[in-house]
Amino acid sequence: MRIGMIKSVMLIMMIPSALAAEQGIGLILGEPTGVTWKRENIVVAAGLSGISSYDNRLDLITDWWLINDHFAEIFDWYFAVGVEAGMKTGLSNDNSHTFYMGARVPLGIQWWMSTGFELFGEIAPTVMAYPGVDLEINAGIGLRYHF
């Protein structure tokens, strides 16, 4: 009983440090265009894709950064693996499947403009696996504020 209580107290003491981990939130333009959130080595983005081709889709992307290393004085680079899933918004011109998903491999560069502000750009080859196999090359630029 006493060991279980000690474990519970230790877990409760760890919660504030997990909540205090550095996070960033901002906007991304490209594929998709929307919002982005980063916490440690996990990045989530949600927004619209295909705007320029009238093939509007709502995307949700989750990436896990495997490498985030220093590149030059104020630049870092990153390499990640991730998943993209989404659905067509109903504004599309065709009657194909409405849900899709695939795997992506983003490669990007970060510029730490000033304290807390990160400007980034990335290119992400993506292999769509459902409803059929297809290769896409997504790219975007964005700005996140870290707190």
Side-chain angles (χ1 to χ4, degrees):
M1 175 98 177
R2 191 168 198 154
I3 292 175
M5 191 174 213
I6 291 171
K7 287 181 181 178
S8 297
V9 169
M10 289 176 62
L11 181 63
I12 290 170
M13 290 174 63
M14 290 171 47
I15 290 172
S17 65
L19 293 175
E22 182 179 297
Q23 307 181 60
I25 190 163
L27 298 174
I28 186 168
L29 301 173
E31 296 286 328
T33 294
V35 294
T36 175
W37 174 77
K38 179 179 183 290
R39 181 178 178 139
E40 296 176 1
N41 63 341
I42 302 293
V43 175
V44 176
L48 290 176
S49 289
I51 297 169
S52 61
S53 66
Y54 301 104
D55 187 24
N56 296 316
R57 305 178 317 248
L58 181 60
D59 280 345
L60 178 62
I61 293 171
T62 302
D63 294 331
W64 178 37
W65 288 17
L66 301 174
I67 300 172
N68 186 14
D69 204 1
H70 197 59
F71 174 63
E73 189 173 326
I74 57 173
F75 294 103
D76 292 341
W77 72 280
Y78 60 89
F79 172 78
V81 294
V83 176
E84 177 179 351
M87 57 190 267
K88 295 189 177 183
T89 62
L91 302 175
S92 302
N93 293 329
D94 63 21
N95 293 323
S96 62
H97 291 88
T98 59
F99 176 77
Y100 58 91
M101 65 182 296
R104 52 187 259 126
V105 184
L107 177 65
I109 190 166
Q110 302 165 278
W111 172 37
W112 294 95
M113 301 167 45
S114 64
T115 305
F117 286 97
E118 166 203 5
L119 182 64
F120 66 93
E122 70 180 27
I123 186 164
T126 305
V127 176
M128 289 302 181
Y130 180 82
V133 177
D134 189 21
L135 176 65
E136 293 183 0
I137 305 293
N138 296 338
I141 59 169
L143 177 69
R144 277 190 283 260
Y145 175 71
H146 290 260
F147 50 94

